[in-house]
Amino acid sequence: MAEKVKDTIMEEVKKAGYFSFSIDSIPDISHTDQLTLIIRYVSPEDEKAEEPGRCNDILRGIREDFDALEKQEKNKLPNTEYRTTRRIIRSKRQRNYENSSDPDALDELSSSDKFRIKSFIPILDALESNLGRRASVYDDVVKIFSFLADLILLKVELQRGVELLMQEYPEDVNQNLTVELFHFHTYVRQTHKPSKKNPTLSHTDYIWC
C-alpha cells in the first residue's frame, strides 16, 4: 500500500510539472530523528479552484457561527465546561463592544464571551490578515512571472513581460530574454501541437511529453 501511495504521488507530481518540497526532521522520545518530506503541487486533474476571497469568506462565516460551533463542540465533549469563575470588567473597550448605554456601568463577562472576544475573534483576525498578505504576495508573483508559462503570447507581449521582470531583477535579466523566449515558444508550438486532451500548450506540456 505504501508503494502504491508513493507511486500515485509521483505520477501526480510529474503531471503537475511544477512543484516544491521541504524537508524537516525532529527527534522522537527515543532520540531517533523522524524525517518528513513535504511536496506541494497543484494537480492538473483537480477541477475545483478556490475563488479569490473564498478563504476570507469562510473565516467570516466561522466568526458569525460562534454559538453554533460552541454548541457543536460541547456535544462532542459533554463533560467539558468553561471555568465557572466570572470577573467584573471595567474596560471601556469592552463596554463599547457590548454597546452599553451606560459608560459607567460594570460589565460582567461570561467565560464563553471572554473566550470569544479575547481568543476566538483575535485568532480569526490574525489568520485573515495573514491570508491577505500571502494573497498579495501570490498576486505579485503571478504579475511578474505568469507570462513565462503562456506559449501563445505575441512578441510585443513577451517584451512587456520581460521589461517588468527586468524592473525586479535588473542585474539578472536583459532584453535578450525576449528573443530567447520567442524562439523557445515558437519551437514548442511547432513541435508539440495541441490535442483534444490538451487543447492549450504550456511549458509543462513540453517538459513532460
Side-chain angles (χ1 to χ4, degrees):
M1 181 179 292
E3 289 297 323
K4 178 64 175 178
V5 171
K6 184 177 70 174
D7 292 343
T8 301
I9 293 175
M10 292 304 299
E11 287 298 322
E12 291 184 354
V13 169
K14 289 181 180 180
K15 290 179 181 179
Y18 298 98
F19 62 90
S20 66
F21 65 88
S22 61
I23 299 176
D24 193 11
S25 67
I26 187 171
D28 59 18
I29 194 172
S30 65
H31 304 289
T32 301
D33 269 350
Q34 301 295 325
L35 184 67
T36 301
L37 172 63
I38 301 173
I39 302 177
R40 294 183 176 182
Y41 62 94
V42 178
S43 173
E45 297 178 357
D46 188 359
E47 298 180 355
K48 297 180 180 179
E50 294 291 344
E51 299 178 358
R54 174 64 174 165
C55 291
N56 286 342
D57 293 339
I58 293 175
L59 290 177
R60 295 188 189 102
I62 292 175
R63 181 199 302 269
E64 296 172 359
D65 290 341
F66 173 79
D67 292 335
L69 293 171
E70 181 186 46
K71 182 178 180 180
Q72 177 181 329
E73 296 307 312
K74 284 185 176 181
N75 289 335
K76 293 180 180 178
L77 301 170
N79 298 324
T80 302
E81 293 290 341
Y82 290 109
R83 291 181 180 178
T84 56
T85 57
R86 302 163 74 90
R87 66 176 181 172
I88 302 300
I89 302 296
R90 290 181 178 270
S91 169
K92 182 177 179 181
R93 179 181 178 185
Q94 176 59 29
R95 287 198 298 269
N96 291 338
Y97 186 89
E98 297 292 342
N99 296 320
S100 174
S101 59
D102 184 358
D104 296 324
L106 296 179
D107 295 329
E108 192 176 58
L109 190 64
S110 69
S111 297
S112 176
D113 287 338
K114 183 171 67 175
F115 171 76
R116 175 171 57 87
I117 295 170
K118 292 191 173 183
S119 298
F120 183 76
I121 292 178
I123 288 173
L124 292 180
D125 287 343
L127 183 56
E128 185 174 354
S129 177
N130 287 327
L131 285 174
R133 286 196 293 268
R134 178 168 293 189
S136 177
V137 172
Y138 288 158
D139 288 340
D140 291 340
V141 170
V142 170
K143 180 181 178 181
I144 296 172
F145 295 102
S146 61
F147 79 99
L148 295 171
D150 192 341
L151 298 180
I152 61 174
L153 290 180
L154 300 176
K155 190 172 183 178
V156 63
E157 294 173 317
L158 285 175
Q159 185 174 357
R160 285 198 294 266
V162 170
E163 289 174 352
L164 183 61
L165 197 60
M166 288 174 58
Q167 294 177 11
E168 298 294 329
Y169 305 97
E171 297 181 359
D172 302 309
V173 180
N174 56 47
Q175 283 291 354
N176 291 334
L177 181 60
T178 303
V179 177
E180 294 172 359
L181 283 173
F182 182 75
H183 289 166
F184 174 72
H185 289 183
T186 302
Y187 169 77
V188 173
R189 288 196 300 269
Q190 293 177 350
T191 307
H192 306 283
K193 303 294 183 181
S195 62
K196 292 183 179 180
K197 184 177 180 180
N198 295 305
T200 60
L201 284 175
S202 69
H203 285 152
T204 55
D205 297 313
Y206 171 73
I207 292 172
W208 294 110
C209 59

